[in-house]
Amino acid sequence: MQSDTKENPLGFRSIPSLLKSFAIPSIIAMLVSSLYNIVDQIFIGQGVGYLGNAATNVSYPLTTICLAIALLIGIGSASRFSLHLGAGEKDIAEKVVGNGICMMFTFGILYAVLVEIFMSPLLTAFGATPDVMPYAETYSRIVALGMPFLIVTNGMSNLARADGSPKYSMTCMLIGAVINTILDPVFIFIFHLGVAGAAWATIIGQFFSFIFALMYIRKFKNITLKKKDIGLSAKECIQTASLGMSNSLNQVAITFVQIVLNNSLTYYGAMSVYGKEIPLAACGIVMKTNAILLAFIIGISQGSQPIIGFNYGARQYDRVRKTYKLAIAANLVISAIGFILFQFFPYQIISLFGTGEAAYFEFAVRFMRIFLFMVIFNGIQLISSNFFAAIGKPVKGLLLSMTRQVIFLIPLVLILPLFFGLDGILFAGPAADGIAFIVTICLIAGEIKKMKQMETEQRLLKQAAK
């Protein structure tokens, strides 16, 4: 079946114009998504103290696992949707969406139930100390109720973007964040609900985002979803998961990194002048501040996905390369700004998250400057990983996802402190970033070369046909 590149703007509109229209709403959506946790940290820091911040840090892996499930289904479905639309296979695209929606609901409910059952051992594994555990359990038991809402909203948001509705995708996330931001101070400072108030504000916001996301099922532009398309198929699930795997496992890897970091920081922190709680709280602030920068980069990456996927499916390889290069250029500019802020204004950034003793600020500033020193290279690895998923090559995308987080960072976090103590954990970050960057360049160079060869073969075939 022939592609409909003449009908779909993804096939003919200028790349800068397309990337701008898709990436900006995606960036806003990602920023809004990260605000759920950032706003909680700020208000909890002001209303509860650094033990409350440590509690949300311990709870954070539950959210990253939830996002990993959402990306597995959402990015996987959106990538397949774009590839089949580019190839003109709308009937298959409809089945992809129907199966994806069923996966979102099934996985969301199952995950929430498992979290509630195994809450205490999970939080212990994530690094909760006896002082932090009561806050962490109160917060997490409430937040877990909203996990199905978060998975469906994120999944539908990706599908809406792939369907050519990036602003709708953005609005899905924006609704919940606005509600969360309004309710946080009300529940914490007026009703004095502490960390429980922050948790209730979060899931109420997620519920309204969920309702708005569901409404898109009847608003698809490029397909008409029918009852026969809705249902679970093992074959469809496997194909969707294969394309969403690299993005999903990147989130899972972040969770493992968070667990290893939390436990290493409390272990080596106890041997230092800072104690257990200060490194744990500081890590939460630094990681969630970095999440704001990552929101920009992930937004660019997700904004480029439908353009890359559609044009790769339509065999317009020059447009694929141009989109990737423009996404990398935009990422470098934003990452450079992030580097300047992290290196020259760390105290001002950390101060936003509440007060603390001098030792807390001393360690948090040092953590931010050292751990995020090579942050300018992170985006290249992340965008490249998503690039491989978008063109239907999940294995390479998966490899890139694993390089920085699992293959390099976790071993370095475990090994370097043996020689350098608490400082070894801090220096593990930039070391892993540098090595992962080199691996990324090698894989991407090979793929670009292969794409140029396919383009040459395609041109020769057309000439021969004439």
Side-chain angles (χ1 to χ4, degrees):
M1 192 179 292
Q2 295 296 314
S3 73
D4 53 353
T5 53
K6 292 182 180 179
E7 297 175 12
N8 197 312
L10 293 171
F12 63 84
R13 264 182 65 189
S14 75
I15 299 299
S17 173
L18 279 172
L19 190 58
K20 181 181 176 183
S21 64
F22 275 81
I24 290 177
S26 185
I27 288 169
I28 294 171
M30 288 307 302
L31 281 172
V32 165
S33 181
S34 67
L35 273 178
Y36 278 123
N37 289 291
I38 298 294
V39 169
D40 282 351
Q41 289 271 211
I42 292 172
F43 287 121
I44 289 170
Q46 300 289 345
V48 181
Y50 73 85
L51 284 178
N53 273 336
T56 58
N57 181 34
V58 166
S59 174
Y60 194 55
L62 296 175
T63 302
T64 56
I65 293 171
C66 183
L67 289 173
I69 296 169
L71 289 171
L72 179 78
I73 304 165
I75 295 291
S77 297
S79 296
R80 292 185 65 209
F81 181 74
S82 296
L83 286 166
H84 288 301
L85 277 186
E89 300 165 342
K90 290 188 177 182
D91 54 334
I92 301 177
E94 289 165 353
K95 290 180 181 177
V96 167
V97 172
N99 186 78
I101 292 169
C102 287
M103 284 179 75
M104 292 170 207
F105 277 96
T106 304
F107 279 67
I109 294 168
L110 182 62
Y111 179 65
V113 170
L114 290 173
V115 168
E116 292 289 356
I117 293 171
F118 298 105
M119 180 69 70
S120 294
L122 283 171
L123 293 177
T124 302
F126 296 159
T129 64
D131 289 341
V132 171
M133 180 61 88
Y135 295 99
E137 193 158 1
T138 298
Y139 182 82
S140 301
R141 287 211 178 275
I142 299 168
V143 167
L145 299 175
M147 296 300 185
F149 303 148
L150 188 59
I151 288 173
V152 174
T153 301
N154 276 270
M156 287 302 301
S157 175
N158 279 289
L159 283 171
R161 189 184 307 109
D163 189 48
S165 301
K167 290 182 180 177
Y168 196 99
S169 172
M170 173 190 71
T171 308
C172 284
M173 309 306 297
L174 194 58
I175 289 171
V178 169
I179 293 171
N180 181 40
T181 305
I182 293 169
L183 293 181
D184 253 331
V186 173
F187 289 168
I188 293 173
F189 297 114
I190 297 176
F191 295 131
H192 304 290
L193 295 176
V195 291
W200 282 115
T202 296
I203 67 166
I204 290 170
Q206 288 171 346
F207 174 75
F208 283 98
S209 284
F210 162 79
I211 295 298
F212 190 75
L214 279 185
M215 290 168 60
Y216 195 79
I217 292 175
R218 296 183 176 273
K219 297 177 184 289
F220 274 96
K221 296 178 181 179
N222 292 290
I223 61 168
T224 303
L225 207 59
K226 298 173 283 292
K227 284 186 179 180
K228 68 181 180 68
D229 299 318
I230 307 292
L232 279 177
S233 159
K235 182 182 176 182
E236 291 287 326
C237 289
I238 291 168
Q239 290 178 351
T240 294
S242 70
L243 291 189
M245 190 65 73
S246 62
N247 286 272
S248 177
L249 286 183
N250 191 48
Q251 280 293 323
V252 173
I254 290 171
T255 304
F256 281 122
V257 167
Q258 192 75 55
I259 294 168
V260 173
L261 272 176
N262 288 350
N263 285 283
S264 297
L265 286 167
T266 53
Y267 179 79
Y268 289 100
M271 302 178 191
S272 72
V273 296
Y274 301 110
K276 291 182 177 181
E277 276 77 26
I278 284 177
L280 194 62
C283 177
I285 300 299
V286 170
M287 298 300 277
K288 286 173 185 175
T289 302
N290 186 41
I292 297 175
L293 175 63
L294 289 176
F296 281 94
I297 298 167
I298 293 170
I300 293 169
S301 179
Q302 290 185 351
S304 66
Q305 179 270 321
I307 309 167
I308 290 171
F310 182 92
N311 284 286
Y312 194 86
R315 299 182 182 180
Q316 298 190 145
Y317 302 121
D318 59 326
R319 290 176 62 82
V320 174
R321 291 198 308 275
K322 286 176 184 176
T323 305
Y324 173 76
K325 289 176 182 177
L326 186 60
I328 291 294
N331 150 72
L332 288 173
V333 172
I334 292 167
S335 294
I337 295 170
F339 174 82
I340 292 168
L341 291 173
F342 296 152
Q343 294 304 312
F344 296 101
F345 305 99
Y347 186 89
Q348 290 83 348
I349 293 170
I350 292 159
S351 297
L352 293 173
F353 294 89
T355 57
E357 54 195 273
Y360 164 71
F361 279 102
E362 179 188 325
F363 182 80
V365 167
R366 184 170 168 77
F367 195 127
M368 182 171 284
R369 281 181 170 152
I370 297 174
F371 197 80
L372 300 181
F373 185 75
M374 297 285 280
V375 75
I376 199 164
F377 294 125
N378 280 356
I380 296 173
Q381 186 242 3
L382 198 152
I383 289 173
S384 300
S385 172
N386 200 45
F387 168 81
F388 282 114
I391 64 173
K393 298 190 176 182
V395 175
K396 289 183 178 179
L398 177 60
L399 177 61
L400 280 189
S401 293
M402 294 296 99
T403 51
R404 195 259 177 185
Q405 305 286 2
V406 174
I407 300 174
F408 302 130
L409 184 55
I410 290 179
L412 287 170
V413 166
L414 295 174
I415 294 167
L416 292 183
L418 297 175
F419 302 97
F420 305 106
L422 200 55
D423 280 355
I425 299 173
L426 276 57
F427 285 104
D433 291 339
I435 302 168
F437 171 71
I438 294 169
V439 174
T440 300
I441 293 301
C442 293
L443 281 176
I444 281 293
E447 192 61 40
I448 295 295
K449 183 179 178 182
K450 192 181 296 182
M451 209 177 295
K452 286 181 179 178
Q453 290 174 347
M454 289 192 295
E455 197 173 12
T456 301
E457 290 170 6
Q458 190 178 347
R459 189 165 56 249
L460 291 173
L461 285 172
K462 285 183 179 178
Q463 289 175 353
K466 290 179 182 180

